[in-house]
Amino acid sequence: MTPINLLKNKYFLYATEFFSGMSVMAVELGASRLLAPYFSSSQVIWTIIIGTIMIAMALGNIWGGRVADKNPDPARLYKRLLLAAVWIAAIPFLGKYLIAAISLGVALLTEKNFLVIASFLSCLIIFVFPLMLLGTVTPSLVKYTVEDLDNNGEIVGRLGALNTIGSILGTFLPTFVTIPTVGTAATFIIFSVLLALLSLLYFISVRKKAAACAVSFLLIGLFSISSVKYSFAFWENDLVYEGESIYNYLQVKENDESVILSTNVLAGVQSIKMKHKEFTGMYYDYALAAPYMAGAGQQADSDILILGLGTGTFASMCASYLDSPNIDGVEIDEKIARLSSQYFDLPKSVNVHVEDGRIFLSNSDKYDVIMVDAYQDITIPFQMSTVEFFTMVKEHLKEDGVMVVNMNMHSSKEGSINDYLCDTIASVFPYAYTAKVGSGTNMELFASENGDMLTVFSEELSAIGTPALRQMMEKVEESLQPVREGSLILTDDKAPVEVLGMRVIDEIIGDELHYYKNIIKEEGLEGLDF
């Protein structure tokens, strides 16, 4: 096939438009999954990804139009696609190291807006160039396919439609097929190969660039092999499981003391199983006060709902300390639910529901205790932080029922995300109390319509027969502080939880960076005890 026949046929050019549009969206979704374990998957990070990619595409459109007018040789376009393919294949291999290096550099230079700056620079350096190359496709193809003015509108419309249809498939395939099935790294490789094959077919037809094609496929093959055992947390050596689901990056770490589930490679514990201790030393211990505040501590067959089950730390503790409780655990991520029995010994008596927490709640019965534990760094689901949601929780509590909410971003500044949550909850529940967890940044909030909830709690404590449990509950009782209603209210219409959460995360990171910078300044790198 000669290049003239290839261009006149147009179907190959249409295929180029289709698969380039598909690849753009696949790379965008891959970008979100590559960045999420390091920076979260909040709306803030998505905004940075989308904005950066739109910049790349705009630059590519301008550049592609100019070079097509200057030299309308299709070989130039397919060389750009070949280069983009190699770059995209290299992302899984090099991306994690670039993110680590960029994060370290930003940490050394600034103490504010770390997440925004580090994620923006990572996205800029890793993704702008290949997507700019893909952005040159449409204006170049317009040049090759439009032959006269009689049907130029139809041709351009057809190219736009093919690009859009490809983008639609490029959205659904990674999300529902490739990422949960074979992972982020393999997803990059798959779409890299598609682009490389387009270029290969073109250069075979014109009998050119055989060496360039061979080298490109060799590099893609090497990157593919290097990504077979891909790990986001490449520095960890105690991982027993690392994988991905539709919703999360998943990491299970095990040592002599515990098994931990985390959805972030840098920090955070979503669930934990202690091997040799009764209590975790974390917020789960404090949350165990909720059944006793509801008068269900000594009651058989109490009803407990956990929104944000994770792998079941709180559920396991309730099953261990309470008398045959009926526990419903709701977890939106099916893979996390599977890990609960595989690594965390979740009791079979716990009823696991794979569903969105708010949707499940709207169709549920009433409970003695409802725990809200769906908040994960700045990726707080806004629909589970509003007046409307907490009103729904109140409606699904029994007469003396208690809601406990785990808030994991304590801040010393006014107007923080926790201030908003406290004010919002206090506007719904007449009685609410907080307990600052001894270690970490978590705070537990207990709320009820029962004005005697603390009296009930004290009475229940006296009946606890386990000394360690009684001591833990007394610790909670001593730390309780009343919550007063304020004006910082979150609603379904207005709940800027990502922005509020990002401020607290930046504050926490800033404090940590300031601490380590002082050590380096006073003692040098030797002062860092890794």
Side-chain angles (χ1 to χ4, degrees):
M1 181 184 293
T2 66
I4 295 176
N5 290 334
L6 188 63
L7 292 179
K8 284 185 177 181
N9 190 294
K10 289 191 176 67
Y11 288 115
F12 183 75
L13 299 181
Y14 290 154
T16 301
E17 182 73 33
F18 175 82
F19 285 111
S20 66
M22 182 188 292
S23 299
V24 167
M25 291 308 300
V27 170
E28 181 174 339
L29 288 163
S32 72
R33 297 309 295 264
L34 186 74
L35 297 178
Y38 307 96
F39 304 119
S40 86
S41 58
S42 70
Q43 189 177 30
V44 173
I45 303 302
W46 263 111
T47 299
I48 290 170
I49 292 170
I50 294 171
T52 305
I53 287 174
M54 295 302 288
I55 291 171
M57 295 301 293
L59 293 174
N61 289 163
I62 295 171
W63 180 31
R66 286 182 177 177
V67 297
D69 283 340
K70 187 177 295 185
N71 186 351
D73 180 6
R76 296 171 66 88
L77 169 63
Y78 288 99
K79 280 193 289 186
R80 293 195 294 270
L81 287 183
L82 199 58
L83 180 57
V86 174
W87 188 291
I88 291 169
I91 288 174
F93 177 68
L94 297 175
K96 55 189 176 183
Y97 301 110
L98 287 172
I99 291 172
I102 292 165
S103 298
L104 178 61
V106 173
L108 293 174
L109 295 174
T110 183
E111 294 179 5
K112 294 183 178 180
N113 300 317
F114 172 85
L115 280 177
V116 172
I117 297 172
S119 59
F120 175 72
L121 288 177
S122 297
C123 205
L124 198 69
I125 292 171
I126 297 171
F127 296 104
V128 163
F129 181 68
L131 290 171
M132 186 172 67
L133 294 175
L134 292 178
T136 67
V137 171
T138 297
S140 298
L141 292 180
V142 169
K143 186 72 174 181
Y144 308 146
T145 53
V146 172
E147 299 173 346
D148 55 61
L149 297 180
D150 291 336
N151 66 344
N152 63 335
E154 179 185 351
I155 295 295
V156 172
R158 192 175 297 164
L159 288 172
L162 287 167
N163 186 282
T164 302
I165 295 171
S167 297
I168 293 170
L169 288 176
T171 302
F172 284 95
L173 283 175
T175 301
F176 294 105
V177 181
T178 62
I179 289 176
T181 303
V182 295
T184 298
T187 296
F188 281 117
I189 297 298
I190 288 169
F191 287 92
S192 165
V193 171
L194 280 176
L195 293 174
L197 285 174
L198 286 172
S199 297
L200 178 65
L201 290 173
Y202 176 79
F203 287 121
I204 287 176
S205 71
V206 296
R207 297 182 177 86
K208 291 181 179 180
K209 303 295 181 183
C213 289
V215 171
S216 298
F217 273 90
L218 176 62
L219 289 173
I220 292 172
L222 291 174
F223 291 136
S224 301
I225 294 171
S226 67
S227 301
V228 170
K229 294 185 178 180
Y230 183 79
S231 174
F232 287 93
F234 54 89
W235 56 87
E236 295 280 7
N237 54 19
D238 58 353
L239 294 182
V240 295
Y241 175 84
E242 187 177 29
E244 297 175 78
S245 69
I246 292 177
Y247 299 99
N248 290 296
Y249 158 75
L250 304 172
Q251 176 191 95
V252 177
K253 293 189 288 187
E254 182 174 5
N255 54 39
D256 293 337
E257 296 182 352
S258 64
V259 182
I260 294 172
L261 169 71
S262 178
T263 57
N264 189 299
V265 298
L266 299 178
V269 174
Q270 273 61 61
S271 294
I272 184 170
K273 181 185 77 172
M274 304 303 296
K275 294 183 176 181
H276 310 297
K277 296 180 181 178
E278 290 187 73
F279 294 103
T280 65
M282 302 171 68
Y283 72 88
Y284 312 99
D285 307 344
Y286 287 71
L288 198 57
Y292 296 98
M293 292 180 181
Q298 312 302 323
Q299 168 189 326
D301 299 323
S302 58
D303 297 310
I304 297 174
L305 172 63
I306 304 169
L307 302 177
L309 176 68
T311 54
T313 303
F314 183 66
S316 296
M317 294 181 74
C318 288
S320 176
Y321 288 106
L322 303 180
D323 185 4
S324 303
N326 303 309
I327 304 173
D328 286 324
V330 184
E331 173 55 55
I332 196 171
D333 195 324
E334 185 177 6
K335 280 198 174 181
I336 289 181
R338 290 179 192 167
L339 293 175
S340 64
S341 57
Q342 186 175 357
Y343 294 101
F344 294 85
D345 300 324
L346 181 70
K348 295 188 185 319
S349 60
V350 177
N351 303 308
V352 179
H353 307 269
V354 179
E355 194 172 344
D356 176 83
R358 182 161 171 172
I359 293 174
F360 179 89
L361 182 63
S362 65
N363 300 304
S364 68
D365 297 322
K366 292 196 173 186
Y367 295 87
D368 294 292
V369 173
I370 296 178
M371 182 183 191
V372 181
D373 191 19
Y375 304 162
Q376 180 180 312
D377 53 67
I378 66 173
T379 56
I380 292 177
F382 86 92
Q383 75 274 15
M384 296 180 71
S385 65
T386 64
V387 168
E388 292 86 349
F389 169 71
F390 292 118
T391 299
M392 188 184 298
V393 172
K394 183 175 71 172
E395 293 170 350
H396 287 81
L397 282 171
K398 295 180 182 179
E399 185 177 355
D400 296 331
V402 172
M403 175 187 72
V404 55
V405 180
N406 173 46
M407 299 186 292
N408 63 341
M409 289 188 287
H410 175 72
S411 172
S412 58
K413 296 181 179 179
E414 293 185 3
S416 70
I417 180 64
N418 283 353
D419 290 336
Y420 272 85
L421 287 170
C422 287
D423 286 2
T424 301
I425 292 170
S427 72
V428 176
F429 288 89
Y431 306 99
Y433 302 86
T434 59
K436 176 73 172 63
V437 176
S439 60
T441 60
N442 291 71
M443 182 169 68
E444 299 304 287
L445 187 149
F446 304 90
S448 178
E449 289 191 284
N450 181 13
D452 296 324
M453 62 185 292
L454 296 191
T455 301
V456 173
F457 187 33
S458 296
E459 293 173 352
E460 290 268 312
L461 290 187
S462 62
I464 294 177
T466 306
L469 177 60
R470 187 188 311 115
Q471 184 178 6
M472 183 66 240
M473 293 301 97
E474 289 172 349
K475 184 177 181 180
V476 176
E477 186 179 34
E478 292 172 0
S479 63
L480 290 171
Q481 298 292 327
V483 176
R484 306 302 180 192
E485 185 176 353
S487 59
L488 305 177
I489 308 297
L490 299 170
T491 68
D492 282 354
D493 179 61
K494 185 180 180 182
V497 291
E498 289 91 357
V499 173
L500 294 169
M502 184 184 66
R503 291 175 186 169
V504 180
I505 291 293
D506 272 332
E507 179 186 343
I508 295 170
I509 292 174
D511 291 342
E512 289 292 321
L513 294 178
H514 183 72
Y515 169 76
Y516 285 112
K517 283 181 179 179
N518 284 339
I519 291 179
I520 294 174
K521 184 177 180 179
E522 295 173 4
E523 306 177 31
L525 293 175
E526 295 80 8
L528 298 177
D529 183 19
F530 293 112

